[in-house]
Amino acid sequence: MSLSKIEEEVLDFWDRENIFQKSIENRKDAPAFNFYDGPPFASGNPHYGHVLTSSIKDTVLRYKTMRGYNVPRRLGWDCHGLPVENLIEKELNIKSKREIEEMGILKFNEACRNNVFNCVDEWRNTLRRIGRWADYENDYATMEDSYIESVWWVLKTLWNKGLVYRDYRVTPYCYRCGTPVSNFEVNQGYAETEDPSVFIRFNVKKGKFEGASLLAWTTTPWTLISNVALVVHPDMQYVLVEEQGRKLILLKERISVLEEPKVIEEIKGKDLEGVEYEPLFDDLSKEKPQGIENAFRVYLADFVGTEEGTGVVHTAVMYGEEDFNLGKKYNLPFRHAVDEAGKFLFGKWEGKRVKETDEEIIEDLKKRDLLEKSERMNHSYPFCWRCDTPLLYYALHTWYVKVEKIKEKLLENNRKIRWVPEHVKEGRFGKWLEGARDWAFSRNRFWGAPIPIWECSSCNELKCIGSKKELGKELEDLHRPYIDEVTFRCQNCGGEMKRVEEVFDCWFESGSMPYAQWHYPFENKEYVEKNFPADFIAEGVDQTRGWFYTLHVLATALTYEDVGLGKNKPAFLNTIVNGFIFDDKGKKLSKKLKNYPDMTDVFEKYGADSLRFFLLSSTPVGEDYRFSEERVKEVYTGIISTFYHSFSFFQTYSKGKIEKKEAQSTLNRWIVARLRETGRKVVEEMEGYNLTKASRELAAFAEDLSNWYIRRSRDLIKKGDKESLSVFREVLVSFSKILAPFAPFLSEHVYKEITGETSVHLEDFPLFKEKKEDQDILKKMEKGREIASMGLKERADLQIKVRQPLSSLKVSLSAFQEIKDEKEIMNLIKDEVNVKEVLFEKLSGEKIKLDAEITPELKEEGQAREITRVIQNLRKKGGLTLEDKINLYYKGKNIEEVLSKWKDLLREETNIVAMQEGTKEGLLATKEIKIEGESFFLGIERTEK
Ligand SMILES: [Zn+2]
Ligand SMILES: [Zn+2]
């Protein structure tokens, strides 16, 4: 039977018998093991990365269940934000925020709502197929009113603690999405790009340097419209040079940007302070913004660098962070020349997109003889992580969480978390926390939880509400546009308070899931407080700047003072961070490249257990994966089908009830000791969340079971040896329990088939104490196997088939003293290496020595064994069962002698009743063979029953 067929049957069985629900129900009074599921977007299809995190989560949670915990698992869906909005924009062919406003927020949000669960069936099917157990019925969704109300509560709590503020500052901003992008999102979007690199002359208006030009540089020509100042470093050396009849001022160190400059005079930077220049454009002056009288002159600042440009820094206060701060210091005019859609508000290019005007601006400056030179350059620049539009640095009113203020608490709480791999704690995550900036959590968008802050239109008083009750009105739902219609009377001045326009960053919402999924504190108060924080979460490494981070910030901010959730708590105590999945050549998996196998095909060919086990065992946790069908296949032919074949072998030879017997023989005691050792190691690794090491222990055991235990006890088991069958059964049953969290399907099948019990997943995980005898036998068997494998290697080197018996294997007494008297181990070696004797001797230099002489007697025995093998193949070819008896027909020189001498062996191994020289018509199966250059004929028929 194919493994995928078995898996489908197991899935049906789990569904039919509610095994997952039973596994929870069984433990309902047990201590809880708390898990938070990071909500994915159900608007896109699941991919291998999701299967990876799901495999990790499911394995840990099944393990904890078997260890006696109550492990509820609630799925959740991220519903809001740009992923869905972008999808709808594409579908409705909408290109800007303005077009959404024109069609109406109601209509747009309805379209978003209807598409949120586009792929939810796909998700459920994939998760079910890989055996991810979860409560699929009671999932939560971030767009539900109850969820939103809890998010409001989170904000209000932070608001009351003084951790929320609004600021006007320069933020990375996507004009296509019409929204700021937080600094952790910016980090996801850097890419190499080509931009203009222009050198512009600002002509000095009067004074000492009249007639000269200040030479400045920029890669964003569109910001030149908004130039209000030039900045030089006070302590650096500048020069006045002559270049092709023009007088230019620039930093001495940057003189190489010119072709043949002739230095006229050296100038200290601070001596340039206050020098006035002609603005490049008069558009801004015409707007008469406040502070314009301070504009168009040289200021001093020490952020001026010597790495690039000219040392004379073009300053546009609305479009650069340092520029903005300088503007505040010197009261420069703050006036946007560009709207939130990235289009010019006034002047020659009014209504045009900024980046698209760069060339026209350069052309214009050239015509007016203000351009020194224009080039192109490659540099790293941030793009929107959702839509790939180059981000602008743009001055904007944005709401912030005071992350910097609680930084010490963030670092302190991080110390309470176990990270796997460990280096993430102080590395990627810890460093990120150390450099943490205040978090811009508002988005100037539509489909999101609305920010519950109202502002008085006359006196700018602010009011934050934290519940529906405070809202005081029943709404159709809490989304825009309904919420926008709610107004309050200002307590301060009696004016009208209107809601600020923004919605929450969807990361704020997913970071609120520990509370919001349970509608805390409005419902489930006791439950949430008892079960906070999570014992365990798991996600990809990109989430150190995403979900891990927002969970951590919000939990730390909420528990800064005790609001019922305890004081100074992280949101989670243990976390596994997985790497990314690349193809065999290290390329990202992409639909376009088709560089990965279809998931359904993988399930069909190798089963979900193989995929899971590949993801758990192939790559150390945290590192990036090399993924291909070939690699999954290796796991399939490795542990998965090895274990399946071990089980099948047992099923073939175990008949009826097996009486329980203690392990007595060395081989039986050894496999029991190996099982106990494996169980202990798996527990040890799983307690440290080291899934890779745990799964590798399992693979090693399956290999030992098949390639040593079963191979060496094959004959005993075939003969129905009671002790061996009993031990074999026990081992299979216990191993299927240990394997269950990792390969939940095959272990279920094996367990049920052998025991007839309900489900392996309802069992307790076996715990084995360490025993001295175990260590002793494990060590000795290891030595024995070392001898055997050296013996086999020597045979291979001498090119003698294993079937050919040899007289002796000599073993170094000094190297293997401790197992000299272990008769049973010696017998195993004899059988494995196919020698008559194992002799301990003083050997010089080598650990073993094979006696390679083949006497006529040994040769004959070799022939007999070869014949046995051929007859066994003929039986197989003829489709005979173990019980079927046969008659043998033979022809060939000297064969009769061999057959009669070895007839007992042949009878026993191949179930022969009679042997007869010659052949006859209608034999079941026949074969001509050559042994040592001589030809023989063999044929079989089934005896009459
Ligand atoms: Zn964008
Ligand atoms: Zn007011």
Side-chain angles (χ1 to χ4, degrees), residues 46-64:
H47 53 65
Y48 280 107
H50 298 117
V51 173
L52 167 58
T53 20
S54 275
S55 302
I56 293 171
K57 292 172 186 176
D58 189 65
T59 300
V60 170
L61 301 177
R62 282 181 191 264
Y63 169 77
K64 288 292 177 184

Side-chain angles (χ1 to χ4, degrees), residues 4 81 88 128 131 138 189 242 508 669 676 724 757 788 849:
S4 76
I88 299 307
R128 175 182 180 269
N138 301 305
E242 198 177 301
F508 194 103
R669 284 191 295 124
R676 297 165 55 87
S724 296
E757 299 287 339
K849 196 169 170 22

Side-chain angles (χ1 to χ4, degrees), residues 23-196:
S23 80
I24 306 270
E25 197 58 24
N26 267 356
R27 315 269 192 203
K28 77 171 181 290
D29 300 321
F33 181 80
N34 295 302
F35 164 70
Y36 295 156
D37 196 15
F41 288 108
S43 51
N45 278 323
H47 53 65
Y48 280 107
H50 298 117
V51 173
L52 167 58
T53 20
S54 275
S55 302
I56 293 171
K57 292 172 186 176
D58 189 65
T59 300
V60 170
L61 301 177
R62 282 181 191 264
Y63 169 77
K64 288 292 177 184
T65 305
M66 291 179 78
R67 287 302 309 274
Y69 290 95
N70 174 27
V71 190
R73 279 154 259 187
R74 194 171 191 205
L75 282 183
W77 308 104
D78 214 341
C79 308
H80 286 146
L82 291 174
V84 188
E85 289 201 11
N86 288 352
L87 206 82
I88 299 307
E89 287 184 11
K90 230 176 243 167
E91 213 173 280
L92 302 177
N93 197 22
I94 288 172
K95 290 189 189 62
S96 72
K97 219 175 125 180
R98 194 177 42 78
E99 283 178 54
I100 297 173
E101 275 154 0
E102 278 167 14
M103 79 176 270
I105 298 174
L106 182 62
K107 210 168 143 197
F108 181 76
N109 274 0
E110 275 313 304
C112 289
R113 181 191 294 276
N114 292 335
N115 279 273
V116 162
F117 296 123
N118 254 353
C119 305
V120 80
D121 288 340
E122 190 69 37
W123 270 92
R124 289 204 172 116
N125 290 339
T126 305
L127 294 182
R128 175 182 180 269
R129 185 59 190 86
I130 60 166
R132 168 90 189 272
W133 268 3
D135 190 349
Y136 292 82
E137 303 305 315
N138 301 305
D139 45 4
Y140 70 89
T142 61
M143 68 177 187
E144 285 157 9
D145 272 4
S146 63
Y147 196 98
I148 293 175
E149 191 179 21
S150 291
V151 173
W152 285 1
W153 171 82
V154 172
L155 186 75
K156 179 73 185 271
T157 309
L158 268 53
W159 175 274
N160 288 343
K161 291 178 181 184
L163 292 174
V164 180
Y165 68 100
R166 180 170 54 181
D167 197 13
Y168 190 64
R169 65 164 86 153
V170 174
T171 329
Y173 176 82
C174 173
Y175 63 74
R176 209 216 64 90
C177 298
T179 193
V181 176
S182 65
N183 54 336
F184 53 83
E185 290 168 329
V186 173
N187 268 283
Q188 293 177 25
Y190 270 93
E192 279 295 312
T193 186
E194 197 191 77
D195 269 324

Side-chain angles (χ1 to χ4, degrees), residues 260-304:
E260 18 187 52
K262 210 171 82 204
V263 177
I264 302 172
E265 187 188 341
E266 298 217 356
I267 313 160
K268 200 76 181 162
K270 63 175 169 236
D271 294 334
L272 290 167
E273 186 178 18
V275 168
E276 290 180 46
Y277 62 86
E278 299 279 355
L280 297 178
F281 303 91
D282 55 8
D283 302 324
L284 187 65
S285 308
K286 281 185 190 156
E287 296 289 311
K288 297 194 180 67
Q290 195 202 347
I292 193 75
E293 65 281 7
N294 300 322
F296 312 123
R297 61 183 72 190
V298 176
Y299 289 91
L300 304 178
D302 50 17
F303 62 71
V304 177

Side-chain angles (χ1 to χ4, degrees), residues 455-461 489-497:
E455 183 173 21
C456 174
S457 28
S458 1
C459 76
N460 293 75
E461 175 79 3
R489 184 104 349 247
C490 174
Q491 294 212 320
N492 206 24
C493 75
E496 190 183 46
M497 298 192 100

